[in-house]
């Protein structure tokens, strides 16, 4: 498929939120190529006199400075995973409901569209708001735009509460699990496979670890009233030299998703305790985030949105705010099970519902 033609028209933030979603989805912004979309957003916000706009690379921060007692950060990432014949967007009605198909509709441009429209239109919110739209979320954490801006402009992160527009089916999901990736390494001795008895098969030495993982029963841990389901799984296996050689090295990569009541140090210790006979190398890790639902702003937000808060099982950037002592939740349109899928699609009613809920809460008109 030829790359979708980039729209040259200005981004109209006075349009309805579904139209804005479609417009920004049709601007390809795979990680590393967020610039054109960031340009359009900066241009669209140029006449919003109530906002102070700061751009760092392809991350845009826009904030009100009304002297309110409380400040809220509302953030969303601009990048997507690679396109796979699923742009430009397509709209259809299914059983009377509008469905928007295409890359980024779920993760997470529908949430960004909601934020952009509200940032543009709400000149007098009941709390001061710092809006953040950032680059490089879908790739290595050291490239993440939020992390970069935090290092360069930490003052922009001063807030009492944060909302991240990750897809949650228009429900509140509090905090997130932590994540750890580790490699288990087994060593042996090479030999010709016709004389295997003079060698030691490193791949075979991974069998106990695989059996242990298959039998592992992950915990469900209650944290601040929410039940976080953990997981420990093999995700990659690497080994072998040739079709007639007994391998002398094999590596099993596992991923541990752990409840936010545990630290990365706890997670490392748990993995090493489970596999004491292996060389264990931790290759990546990130702390989880407690839900922080005891904060008054968080409780107020959950009441305004309606329903009960749920746990977020995957890692998200709420953890960056939690590490700063800022309670943070996930809230946005879209089914997270469809994130990154080739048939990625969002129910337009969820986009509208998220806009309405956030608007009512920010203006103080929520019941």
């Amino acid at each position: 498929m030829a790359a979708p033609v980039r729209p040259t028209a200005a981004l109209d933030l006075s349009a309805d939120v579904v139209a804005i979603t479609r417009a920004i989805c049709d601007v390809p912004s795979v990680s590393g190529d967020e610039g054109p979309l960031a340009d359009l957003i900066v241009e669209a916000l140029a006449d919003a006199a109530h906002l102070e706009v700061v751009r760092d690379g392809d991350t845009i921060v826009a904030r009100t400075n009304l002297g309110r007692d409380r400040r809220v950060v509302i953030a969303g990432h601009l990048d997507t995973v690679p396109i796979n014949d699923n742009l430009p967007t397509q709209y259809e009605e299914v059983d009377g409901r509008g469905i928007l198909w295409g890359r980024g509709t779920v993760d997470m441009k529908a949430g960004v569209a909601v934020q952009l429209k509200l940032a543009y239109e709400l000149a007098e919110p009941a709390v001061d708001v710092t809006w953040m739209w950032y680059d490089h979320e879908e790739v290595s954490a050291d490239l993440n735009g939020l992390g970069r801006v935090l290092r360069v402009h930490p003052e922009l992160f001063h807030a009492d509460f944060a909302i991240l527009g990750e897809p949650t089916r228009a429900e509140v999901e509090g905090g997130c699990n932590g994540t750890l990736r580790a490699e288990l390494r087994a060593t042996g001795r090479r030999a010709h496979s016709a004389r295997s008895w003079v060698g030691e098969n490193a791949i075979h030495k991974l069998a106990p670890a695989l059996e242990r993982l298959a039998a592992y029963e992950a915990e469900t841990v209650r944290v601040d009233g929410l039940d976080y389901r953990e997981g420990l799984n093999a995700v990659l296996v690497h080994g072998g030299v040739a079709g007639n050689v007994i391998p002398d090295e094999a590596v099993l990569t596992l991923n541990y998703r752990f409840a936010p009541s545990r630290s990365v140090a706890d997670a490392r210790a748990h993995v090493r305790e489970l596999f004491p006979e292996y060389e264990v190398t931790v290759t990546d890790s990130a702390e989880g985030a407690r839900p922080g639902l005891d904060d008054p702003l968080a409780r107020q937000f959950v009441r305004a949105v309606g329903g009960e808060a749920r746990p977020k099982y995957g890692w998200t950037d709420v953890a960056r705010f939690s590490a700063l002592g800022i309670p943070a939740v996930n809230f946005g349109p879209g089914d997270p099970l469809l994130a990154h899928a080739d048939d990625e699609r969002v129910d337009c009613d969820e986009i509208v519902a998220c806009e309405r809920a956030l608007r009512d809460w920010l203006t103080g008109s929520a019941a």
Side-chain angles (χ1 to χ4, degrees), residues 184 205-218 232-234 252 254 270-278 280:
L184 307 186
K205 289 184 177 182
L206 291 178
L210 289 169
E211 291 173 358
R212 215 166 295 160
L213 285 167
Y216 184 84
E217 295 185 4
L232 179 63
N233 292 279
L252 170 65
L254 57 83
H270 182 59
V271 170
R272 290 197 165 103
E273 181 182 353
L274 284 172
F275 304 101
E277 72 271 41
Y278 293 95
V280 179

Side-chain angles (χ1 to χ4, degrees), residues 177-178 180 216 218-219 229-233 255-259:
N177 275 339
L180 178 143
Y216 184 84
E219 291 186 63
R229 184 173 178 176
E230 297 191 328
L232 179 63
N233 292 279
N255 183 211
Y256 180 28
R257 299 290 177 141
F258 55 92

Side-chain angles (χ1 to χ4, degrees), residues 290-343:
R290 301 184 75 97
L293 296 176
D294 53 347
D295 180 85
L297 273 177
R299 291 200 302 269
Q300 184 190 71
F301 181 66
V302 173
R303 285 197 303 270
V305 171
E308 295 184 0
R310 302 174 184 272
K312 171 64 78 175
Y313 296 131
W315 189 91
T316 76
D317 279 308
V318 296
R320 296 183 186 275
F321 295 100
S322 180
L324 297 171
I326 303 170
V329 299
N330 304 276
F331 177 73
D335 183 344
L337 296 178
L338 294 173
H340 301 185
D342 288 342
D343 61 347

Side-chain angles (χ1 to χ4, degrees), residues 32-336:
D33 192 27
E34 299 94 334
L37 179 55
D39 291 342
L40 288 175
I41 291 172
V42 170
E43 293 168 6
L45 295 174
D47 62 345
H50 60 285
L51 294 174
E52 173 195 2
V53 179
V54 176
R55 181 171 181 174
D56 181 285
D58 291 328
T59 290
I60 301 152
V61 178
R63 57 182 184 169
T64 63
N65 292 294
L66 301 170
R68 305 296 196 226
D69 292 336
R70 307 295 296 273
R71 178 173 290 275
V72 176
V73 170
I74 303 180
H77 62 81
L78 300 180
D79 60 323
T80 72
V81 297
I83 298 161
N84 189 18
D85 201 28
N86 50 5
L87 280 185
T89 52
Q90 302 295 323
Y91 175 85
E92 68 173 343
E93 289 198 5
V94 179
D95 297 328
R97 300 178 73 89
I99 305 295
L100 186 62
W101 298 71
R103 176 63 76 227
T105 52
V106 171
D107 194 8
M108 54 176 289
K109 289 186 176 179
V112 169
V114 168
Q115 297 169 6
L116 286 170
K117 182 170 181 63
L118 295 177
Y120 182 75
E121 293 185 350
L122 297 183
E124 293 284 340
V127 293
D128 269 313
V129 185
T130 300
W131 306 92
M132 294 183 172
W133 302 289
Y134 59 102
D135 58 289
H136 286 88
E137 190 272 348
E138 299 288 5
V139 288
S140 177
D142 62 322
L143 298 175
N144 186 290
L146 276 186
R148 184 185 67 250
V149 174
L150 178 58
R151 292 189 295 270
V152 178
H153 297 291
E155 73 281 359
L156 297 178
F157 285 76
H158 293 169
D160 302 291
F161 181 52
I163 301 168
L164 197 69
E166 289 284 351
T168 63
R169 300 171 300 275
E171 300 173 343
V172 175
E173 292 185 351
C176 69
N177 275 339
T179 182
L180 178 143
R181 275 193 296 276
E183 294 178 344
L184 307 186
R185 190 174 306 274
T187 58
R189 185 170 62 250
R190 290 192 193 188
H192 196 295
S193 60
R195 303 172 189 84
S196 60
W197 58 89
V198 301
E200 292 181 32
N201 194 311
I203 292 178
H204 291 180
K205 289 184 177 182
L206 291 178
L210 289 169
E211 291 173 358
R212 215 166 295 160
L213 285 167
Y216 184 84
E217 295 185 4
E219 291 186 63
T220 296
V221 183
R222 174 154 284 228
V223 182
D224 297 346
L226 299 182
D227 292 330
Y228 289 84
R229 184 173 178 176
E230 297 191 328
L232 179 63
N233 292 279
V235 292
L236 287 171
V237 179
H238 177 75
V241 179
N244 60 353
V245 178
I246 299 303
D248 62 342
E249 183 176 81
V251 178
L252 170 65
T253 301
L254 57 83
N255 183 211
Y256 180 28
R257 299 290 177 141
F258 55 92
S261 56
R262 307 189 201 276
S263 67
V264 165
D266 294 333
R268 288 172 184 257
H270 182 59
V271 170
R272 290 197 165 103
E273 181 182 353
L274 284 172
F275 304 101
E277 72 271 41
Y278 293 95
E279 176 188 340
V280 179
T281 302
V282 174
T283 59
D284 187 36
S285 62
E287 301 280 358
R290 301 184 75 97
L293 296 176
D294 53 347
D295 180 85
L297 273 177
R299 291 200 302 269
Q300 184 190 71
F301 181 66
V302 173
R303 285 197 303 270
V305 171
E308 295 184 0
R310 302 174 184 272
K312 171 64 78 175
Y313 296 131
W315 189 91
T316 76
D317 279 308
V318 296
R320 296 183 186 275
F321 295 100
S322 180
L324 297 171
I326 303 170
V329 299
N330 304 276
F331 177 73
D335 183 344

